């Protein structure tokens, strides 16, 4: 077999298409959306490269049109989950020793399939089943997933190239082994890109994976699985199981071969998983890697020198794009009194101009929230705010679930900086504002730092470098992704590696080398060319 130190294509971010009226991409995605809306699909489990159908099923519907059925998915039994473990471990025998360039070829091909023939389909699936407008779908399910795949291939080669010093007498080599056992990938509903990346990044590094997508994202997860299969991911390397999350997790994490979890979702669920791993720790063959990116209570804090229009725009986009259902979405803002009147006017004007409805109508900036339980939870917080003293709703406040789960983008102004919606992650289009005295800048920064258990994203606005410097320092541990004069959402792979600390996760930075290190276990090999033959050192005389 011929050898070489192969170089992979240099990763560049996938350009975001415009979908402007009259553009070919707009026509194509709308045509695909309409076709997919009419068709009914079946989503089986994928185990050992085979489609598995079971007796228990559930239907999938668009959040903005919940009476319409898009298709059916099948729920795994305990036996199916055990089969997924067995098949993954069997597949590991060949996959773990597959030359890295072959793995790279598969995932680079997946990226190209998404960039070309699957682009309209993955976008339309995300628009339909997760209720994203075309721009939100494009930056997530097409561009971010493509970027994850391409950049991770490049990062993998950079990691493999990291080697220790050697001497003429001994050659030191590090082999980056996949983990022994299988990885469990658990993904959230809100980003198709995360759903694809969590199993793919571990598999790229030579691991085998059992993947459990969110029940609210299965429709686009099927497209991801189709892409993986067409790209050539071998049978058993990535297995997809759906159904009861607790049963699936209990079964997978009871296996002695469980070697790591790659999780994104809410903090409570992640803490339950961590606890379960702790309870089972004596049963495992290896200490499992625990990677989890979890909730947020992300902030925007403006200084009196900031530009009110820029602050209001960051609030409008940062809090309400994708209905506030981004882990990075701004949900608490701290605005100084002197600029509040202007910020409020611009923000309320913006919100009044938002149109809400289906993603198919491209004039809509706002679509539906993901499901009924999310809708009900958000409605109850809004109802409570209507009753509470010290709180005023200055925009939105209405909701309607007769056709879809629509919540009006809502802005609450509170006089209590520790009001419940300033502290709790709601995960929806509800933004709470606290107006502070201009001369309490430093005090307010400490308030921002201490108000929430989370530390995911945050943004500071100011035209004063001293004020910015103070914010950077005081808020050092308040956000894993910190923005200066920008909204706190929209991280791009390769540019802003993403993740937070405190209750927001293990901060292993998706879309960076740091994340890939978690899916390998280095083996140090020292080869001595001429072995010593006398134990005595010179100092012994
Ligand atoms: P979720 O916690 O409800 O679900 C996430 C995944 O966990 C799903 O696959 C779900 O089925 C599974 N799950 C639920 N109960 C489980 C259990 N008992 N055992 C094992 N798995 C279980 O979260 P969601 O509603 O899908 O997503 C929203 C949450 O995800 C928010 O809290 C958001 O902040 C967070 N999120 C964080 C990031 C980040 O990078 N930090 C990114 C996206 C989303």
């Amino acid at each position: 077999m011929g050898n070489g130190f192969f170089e992979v294509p240099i990763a560049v971010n996938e350009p975001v298409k415009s979908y402007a009226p009259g553009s070919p991409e707009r026509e194509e995605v709308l045509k695909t959306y309409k076709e997919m809306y009419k068709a009914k699909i079946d989503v089986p489990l994928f185990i050992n490269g085979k489609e598995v159908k079971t007796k228990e099923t559930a239907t999938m519907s668009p959040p903005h049109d919940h009476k319409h059925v898009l298709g059916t998915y099948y729920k795994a039994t305990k036996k199916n989950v055990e089969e997924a473990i067995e098949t993954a471990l069997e597949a590991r025998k060949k996959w773990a020793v597959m030359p890295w360039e072959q793995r790279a070829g598969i995932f680079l091909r997946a990226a190209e399939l998404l960039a070309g023939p699957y682009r309209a389909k993955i976008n339309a699936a995300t628009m339909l089943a997760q209720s994203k407008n075309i721009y939100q779908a494009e930056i997530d399910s097409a561009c971010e997933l493509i970027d994850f795949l391409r950049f991770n291939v490049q990062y993998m080669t950079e990691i493999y190239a990291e080697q220790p010093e050697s001497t003429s007498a001994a050659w030191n080599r590090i082999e980056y082994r996949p983990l022994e056992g299988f990885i469990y990938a658990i993904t959230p509903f809100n980003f198709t890109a995360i759903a694809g990346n969590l199993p793919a990044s571990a598999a790229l590094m030579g691991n085998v994976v059992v993947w459990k997508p969110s029940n609210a994202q299965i429709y686009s997860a099927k497209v991801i699985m189709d892409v993986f299969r067409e790209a050539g991911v071998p049978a058993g390397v990535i297995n997809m199981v759906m159904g009861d999350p607790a049963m699936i997790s209990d079964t997978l994490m009871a296996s002695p071969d469980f070697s790591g979890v790659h999780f994104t979702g809410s903090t409570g669920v992640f803490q339950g998983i961590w606890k379960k791993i702790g309870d089972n720790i004596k049963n495992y063959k290896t200490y499992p890697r625990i990677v989890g990116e979890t909730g947020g209570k992300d902030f925007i804090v403006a200084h009196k020198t900031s530009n009110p229009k820029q602050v209001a725009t960051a609030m409008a986009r940062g809090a309400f794009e994708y209905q506030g259902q981004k882990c990075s979405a701004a949900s608490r803002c701290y605005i100084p009194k002197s600029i509040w009147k202007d910020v409020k006017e611009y923000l309320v004007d913006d919100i009044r101009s938002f149109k809400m409805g289906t993603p198919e109508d491209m004039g809509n900036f706002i679509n539906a929230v993901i499901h009924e339980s999310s809708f009900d939870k958000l409605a109850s917080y809004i109802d409570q705010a209507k009753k509470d003293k010290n709180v005023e709703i200055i925009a939105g406040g209405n909701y309607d679930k007769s056709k879809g789960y629509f919540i009006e983008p809502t802005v609450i102004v509170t006089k209590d900086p520790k009001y419940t919606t300033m502290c709790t992650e709601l995960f929806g289009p509800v933004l709470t504002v606290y107006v502070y005295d201009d001369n309490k800048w430093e005090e307010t920064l400490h308030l921002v730092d201490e108000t929430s258990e989370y530390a995911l994203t945050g943004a500071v606005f100011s035209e004063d470098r001293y004020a910015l410097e103070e914010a950077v320092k005081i808020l050092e541990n308040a956000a894993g992704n910190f923005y200066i004069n920008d909204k706190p959402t929209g991280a791009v792979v390769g540019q802003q590696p993403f993740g937070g600390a405190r209750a927001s996760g293990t901060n292993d930075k998706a879309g960076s080398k740091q994340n890939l290190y978690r899916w390998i276990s280095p083996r140090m090999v020292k080869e001595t060319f001429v072995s010593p033959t006398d134990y005595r050192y010179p100092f012994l005389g």
Side-chain angles (χ1 to χ4, degrees):
M1 200 178 87
N3 286 314
F5 290 113
F6 308 118
E7 283 180 7
V8 294
I10 293 167
V12 286
N13 291 113
E14 176 65 14
V16 177
K17 295 193 185 230
S18 84
Y19 297 88
S23 61
E25 65 266 18
R26 183 178 175 115
E27 266 170 42
E28 194 188 353
V29 80
L30 282 175
K31 186 168 160 277
T32 310
Y33 181 103
K34 286 189 178 87
E35 286 163 5
M36 290 172 85
Y37 181 87
K38 277 194 223 131
K40 297 264 183 297
I41 64 158
D42 254 2
V43 187
L45 316 171
F46 288 93
I47 300 173
N48 200 17
K50 295 195 188 73
E51 302 193 350
V52 179
K53 296 188 176 176
T54 58
K55 290 205 182 91
E56 227 190 309
T57 60
T59 55
M60 301 170 291
S61 296
H64 46 272
D65 188 3
H66 52 63
K67 290 194 182 78
H68 178 79
V69 172
L70 292 170
T72 302
Y73 71 86
Y74 293 83
K75 295 187 183 180
T77 61
K78 192 168 164 39
K79 192 160 170 292
N80 297 137
V81 180
E82 286 164 353
E83 278 164 11
I85 299 175
E86 277 165 37
T87 199
L89 293 174
E90 190 53 37
R92 188 184 184 281
K93 291 177 188 162
K94 279 164 92 175
W95 182 247
V97 294
M98 166 96 101
W100 67 262
E101 70 274 12
Q102 302 300 335
R103 286 187 261 122
I106 290 171
F107 289 104
L108 289 172
R109 185 167 180 210
E112 274 323 280
L113 287 168
L114 285 163
Y118 277 87
R119 195 181 197 113
K121 195 167 185 196
I122 195 108
N123 279 336
T126 303
M127 293 164 77
L128 265 173
Q130 287 140 269
S131 207
K132 289 203 175 192
N133 65 37
I134 179 56
Y135 179 71
Q136 294 301 318
E138 167 79 358
I139 59 173
D140 162 24
S141 56
C143 299
E144 190 174 11
L145 184 48
I146 295 163
D147 289 351
F148 274 135
L149 294 165
R150 288 182 182 151
F151 278 85
N152 279 344
V153 165
Q154 182 177 312
Y155 296 144
M156 173 181 71
T157 63
E158 288 169 12
I159 291 173
Y160 289 169
E162 285 169 16
Q163 293 295 326
E165 300 296 323
S166 294
T167 64
S168 59
W171 184 12
N172 298 316
R173 305 189 288 270
I174 290 187
E175 297 171 358
Y176 294 95
R177 302 169 300 181
L179 305 184
E180 252 190 307
F182 70 91
I183 306 294
Y184 177 23
I186 312 175
T187 56
F189 80 82
N190 66 331
F191 277 94
T192 305
I194 296 176
N197 180 47
L198 267 49
S201 52
L204 173 69
M205 302 309 285
N207 297 281
V208 289
V209 182
V210 181
W211 169 33
K212 195 205 80 53
S214 157
N215 289 340
Q217 187 265 327
I218 288 170
Y219 192 81
S220 59
K222 162 83 167 65
V223 184
I224 295 172
M225 238 13 240
D226 290 345
V227 169
F228 285 164
R229 290 204 301 177
E230 192 169 331
V233 175
V237 170
I238 297 178
N239 303 278
M240 182 170 91
V241 293
M242 298 86 74
D244 173 11
M247 181 280 288
I248 293 173
S249 298
D250 285 352
T251 309
L252 292 170
M253 296 194 298
S255 166
D257 292 297
F258 167 71
S259 60
V261 63
H262 201 184
F263 175 88
T264 298
S266 57
T267 298
V269 170
F270 184 55
Q271 290 179 351
I273 286 165
W274 196 305
K275 184 169 184 310
K276 218 166 274 172
I277 294 171
D279 291 343
N280 291 340
I281 199 72
K282 284 196 174 158
N283 306 337
Y284 300 132
K285 292 182 186 164
T286 183
Y287 290 109
R289 297 283 165 87
I290 307 177
V291 174
E293 299 306 329
T294 62
K297 190 68 198 169
D298 311 303
F299 59 83
I300 293 177
V301 54
H303 186 250
K304 63 185 176 192
T305 56
S306 52
N307 174 319
K309 184 78 179 119
Q310 291 174 0
V311 173
T313 303
M315 289 162 83
R317 284 184 168 175
F320 298 119
E321 282 185 307
Y322 190 38
Q323 296 77 260
Q325 299 172 119
K326 299 187 183 189
C327 47
S328 55
S331 62
R332 52 184 175 123
C333 288
Y334 303 78
I335 313 292
K337 247 186 206 143
S338 58
I339 65 164
W340 172 232
K341 188 172 162 291
D342 288 345
V343 171
K344 179 179 170 183
E345 209 173 290
Y346 291 131
L347 178 65
V348 172
D349 275 358
D350 278 349
I351 293 174
R352 284 206 187 110
S353 74
F354 290 171
K355 285 208 248 153
M356 182 164 73
T358 74
E360 189 183 357
D361 175 349
M362 293 213 174
N364 290 327
F365 187 68
I366 304 288
N367 311 112
V369 299
I370 192 72
H371 44 45
E372 188 164 24
S373 65
S374 171
F375 177 94
D376 289 347
K377 176 176 145 187
L378 291 159
S380 77
Y381 276 97
I382 292 173
D383 287 346
Q384 188 58 44
K386 286 177 182 163
K387 288 184 218 145
D388 287 336
K389 285 181 264 159
N390 277 343
V391 166
E392 188 196 354
I393 294 181
I394 60 161
N398 298 309
Y399 46 78
D400 180 356
K401 63 174 173 182
S402 51
K403 183 160 170 62
Y405 303 116
F406 290 107
I407 304 260
E408 274 183 8
T410 297
V411 181
I412 298 172
V413 180
T414 179
K415 293 203 171 74
D416 172 8
K418 298 280 174 80
Y419 181 66
T420 173
T421 61
M422 288 297 279
C423 313
T424 312
E425 184 187 49
L426 306 187
F427 220 59
V430 178
L431 171 67
T432 310
V433 178
Y434 173 68
V435 182
Y436 70 90
D437 284 339
D438 285 37
N439 58 6
K440 292 196 173 156
W441 172 241
E442 192 184 332
E443 209 175 295
T444 303
L445 293 176
H446 286 291
L447 181 66
V448 173
D449 185 45
E450 288 155 14
T451 293
S452 132
E453 63 184 305
Y454 300 108
L456 192 51
T457 75
V460 57
F461 277 79
S462 176
E463 295 299 317
D464 175 343
R465 267 288 148 182
Y466 290 110
L468 283 178
E469 164 65 5
E470 224 176 338
V472 169
K473 229 185 280 155
I474 294 174
L475 297 173
E476 183 185 0
N477 294 306
N481 283 57
F482 190 71
Y483 294 80
I484 296 173
N485 292 327
D486 201 352
K487 66 181 168 57
T489 59
V492 174
V493 177
Q495 297 186 35
Q496 297 99 20
F498 191 80
R502 295 186 183 162
S504 292
T506 53
N507 202 11
D508 289 295
K509 296 288 187 221
S512 81
K513 262 201 253 183
Q514 275 108 304
N515 180 278
L516 298 186
Y517 283 118
R518 303 305 309 273
W519 311 118
I520 45 179
S521 177
R523 175 166 82 150
M524 179 57 230
V525 177
K526 178 187 178 192
E527 180 178 350
T528 294
F529 294 126
V530 182
S531 304
T533 50
D534 182 356
Y535 89 88
R536 290 170 194 82
Y537 295 106
F539 79 90
L540 292 171

